[in-house]
């Protein structure tokens, strides 16, 4: 995922979400574009873990003498929950029994450089991999406490919702520095950038759901590691999950055939533990790694490829028990 703050340039753009602002705080607008594709309004999708990009523009109402912009905040509410749900097969479905997420996930809570009265911001993220809605909200604040926000809702209708396991694609981008590592929560299939795991009070809670980290290996190779692995330096994290990884002899066909909870559990039990078991070491294309999370969920990761554009990454398929 990529985060870029740019100086606002005066060029023609098509802005969406331009309803009258509810208060006299700073202006904020989202771009609507088809080429390149920028999302600015509600969308319906059938592609789990799809990538989308948003560009926003924000400015003080008086760009010369008005209060400076001070804070940019991006949150997402997942409805009814961001984790997969095991739907009943012998009884009627009761939506009231689906666990609900009560708090939004804070992706970005950034203090802006002093004196800035206009910004352009481009943000790329991944949609949910379970059926439901996610409402993304972009909020800007100024030095006098004024604020305004724009939002849109993304809806996913996943045809695999009735499966007893969860499956999705995952792309973990290689870090440019230790502060730009990619993290993943395996149960939900969400990939989180490092800035979503900062020390702000609302983002510390995000750390508790992280199961693995992209780990660069000397020589340009790549691996996966648990947050609790001793080689993963996560300063200030009070709780670090201990995900266990095991080698398997499975290939891509065997990975595709593992489609029940007992088979996923058995694949981990039959695997050989890495040394230590909290990291995989160098991965190879076509390799299948078994894992068990700190919450007891078992699964498999198929390493599909190591793409280099637009940035180096691990491309993988994941299957995990619900």
């Amino acid at each position: 995922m990529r985060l870029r703050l740019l100086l606002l340039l005066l060029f023609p753009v098509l802005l969406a979400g331009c309803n009258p602002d509810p208060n006299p705080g700073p202006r904020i607008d989202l771009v609507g574009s088809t080429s390149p594709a920028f999302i600015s309004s509600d969308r319906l999708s059938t592609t789990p873990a799809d990538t989308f990009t948003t560009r926003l523009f924000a400015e003080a109402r008086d760009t010369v003498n008005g209060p400076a912009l001070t804070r940019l905040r991006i949150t997402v509410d997942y409805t009814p929950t961001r984790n997969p749900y095991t739907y009943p097969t012998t009884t009627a479905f009761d939506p009231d029994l689906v666990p609900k997420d009560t708090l939004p996930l804070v992706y970005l809570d950034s203090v802006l450089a002093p004196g800035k009265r206009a910004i352009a911001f481009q943000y790329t993220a991944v949609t949910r991999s379970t059926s439901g809605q996610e409402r993304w909200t972009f909020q800007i604040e100024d030095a006098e406490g004024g604020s305004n926000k724009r939002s849109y809702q993304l809806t996913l209708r996943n045809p695999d919702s009735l499966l007893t396991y969860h499956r999705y694609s995952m792309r973990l981008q290689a870090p440019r520095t230790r502060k730009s590592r990619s993290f993943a929560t395996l149960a939900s299939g969400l990939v989180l950038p490092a800035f979503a795991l900062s020390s702000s009070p609302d983002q510390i809670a995000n750390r508790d759901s992280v199961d693995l980290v992209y780990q660069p290996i000397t020589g340009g190779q790549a691996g996966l590691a648990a947050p609790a692995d001793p080689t993963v330096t996560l300063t200030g994290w009070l709780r670090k999950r201990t995900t266990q990884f095991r080698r398997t002899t499975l290939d891509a066909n065997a990975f595709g055939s593992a489609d029940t909870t007992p088979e996923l559990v058995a694949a981990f039990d039959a695997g050989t533990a890495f040394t230590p078991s909290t990291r995989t070491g160098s991965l190879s294309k076509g390799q299948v790694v078994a894992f068990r999370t700190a919450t007891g969920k078992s699964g498999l990761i198929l390493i599909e490829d190591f793409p280099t554009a637009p940035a180096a990454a691990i491309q993988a398929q994941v299957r995990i028990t619900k």
Side-chain angles (χ1 to χ4, degrees), residues 124-182:
T124 299
V126 177
T127 65
R128 65 186 301 145
S129 56
T130 57
S131 290
Q133 294 81 39
E134 52 189 290
R135 176 160 293 279
W136 288 83
T137 300
F138 304 81
Q139 182 173 359
I140 192 74
E141 298 179 7
D142 66 25
E144 293 183 352
S147 69
N148 272 305
K149 58 188 176 183
R150 293 286 182 264
S151 65
Y152 52 73
Q153 180 171 284
L154 306 180
T155 301
L156 172 66
R157 294 177 181 171
N158 190 343
D160 292 338
S161 296
L162 290 179
L163 294 177
T164 58
Y165 66 96
H166 187 36
R167 64 181 181 183
Y168 54 88
S169 62
M170 179 175 66
R171 186 184 181 98
L172 293 169
Q173 185 170 308
R176 295 182 177 87
T177 68
R178 295 187 68 85
K179 293 184 178 181
S180 63
R181 288 175 288 187
S182 293

Side-chain angles (χ1 to χ4, degrees), residues 11-258:
F11 59 88
V13 294
L14 176 62
L15 298 178
C18 296
N19 296 323
D21 290 327
N23 63 57
R27 297 184 181 93
I28 180 170
D29 290 295
L30 304 179
V31 168
S33 172
T34 57
S35 182
F38 293 138
I39 286 185
S40 62
S41 58
D42 296 353
R43 292 287 189 275
L44 174 65
S45 174
T46 57
T47 304
D50 198 11
T51 300
F52 69 96
T53 299
T54 288
R55 176 173 284 183
L56 67 86
F57 294 90
E59 64 177 358
R61 291 184 181 274
D62 181 347
T63 58
V64 177
N65 300 311
L69 307 178
T70 57
R71 187 184 187 194
L72 176 63
R73 184 176 168 89
I74 301 175
T75 62
V76 56
D77 289 273
Y78 295 97
T79 306
T81 176
R82 55 181 172 263
N83 290 326
Y85 175 72
T86 304
Y87 291 90
T89 56
T90 58
T91 61
F93 169 62
D94 185 350
D96 292 334
L97 297 180
V98 180
K100 306 295 193 298
D101 289 333
T102 58
L103 296 175
L105 193 156
V106 180
Y107 267 82
L108 178 69
D109 192 355
S110 178
V111 176
L112 303 178
K116 189 174 291 292
R117 290 184 173 84
I119 63 168
F121 182 83
Q122 184 166 306
Y123 178 74
T124 299
V126 177
T127 65
R128 65 186 301 145
S129 56
T130 57
S131 290
Q133 294 81 39
E134 52 189 290
R135 176 160 293 279
W136 288 83
T137 300
F138 304 81
Q139 182 173 359
I140 192 74
E141 298 179 7
D142 66 25
E144 293 183 352
S147 69
N148 272 305
K149 58 188 176 183
R150 293 286 182 264
S151 65
Y152 52 73
Q153 180 171 284
L154 306 180
T155 301
L156 172 66
R157 294 177 181 171
N158 190 343
D160 292 338
S161 296
L162 290 179
L163 294 177
T164 58
Y165 66 96
H166 187 36
R167 64 181 181 183
Y168 54 88
S169 62
M170 179 175 66
R171 186 184 181 98
L172 293 169
Q173 185 170 308
R176 295 182 177 87
T177 68
R178 295 187 68 85
K179 293 184 178 181
S180 63
R181 288 175 288 187
S182 293
F183 301 79
T185 63
L186 291 171
S188 62
L190 295 179
V191 175
L192 301 176
F195 59 77
L197 304 164
S198 74
S199 58
S200 69
D202 290 333
Q203 290 185 299
I204 288 179
N206 296 348
R207 301 174 177 179
D208 295 339
S209 65
V210 172
D211 296 300
L212 62 80
V213 184
Y214 182 112
Q215 187 173 54
I217 307 295
T218 302
Q221 303 299 305
L224 303 173
D229 186 83
T231 62
V232 179
T233 304
L234 297 173
T235 305
W237 287 41
L238 299 179
R239 291 178 294 274
K240 303 175 185 178
R241 286 194 172 187
T242 306
T243 304
Q244 303 290 327
F245 299 100
R246 291 189 177 181
R247 300 179 187 275
T248 76
T249 58
L250 304 178
D251 58 14
N253 291 330
F255 172 88
S257 298

Side-chain angles (χ1 to χ4, degrees), residues 249-293:
T249 58
L250 304 178
D251 58 14
N253 291 330
F255 172 88
S257 298
D259 56 6
T260 67
T261 294
E263 288 175 338
L264 292 172
V265 172
F268 177 84
D269 292 340
T272 303
F274 289 91
T275 305
S277 62
T278 51
R279 62 177 180 268
T280 65
S282 297
L283 296 169
S284 58
K285 185 175 179 178
Q287 183 176 356
V288 177
V289 175
F291 66 85
R292 183 162 291 161
T293 70

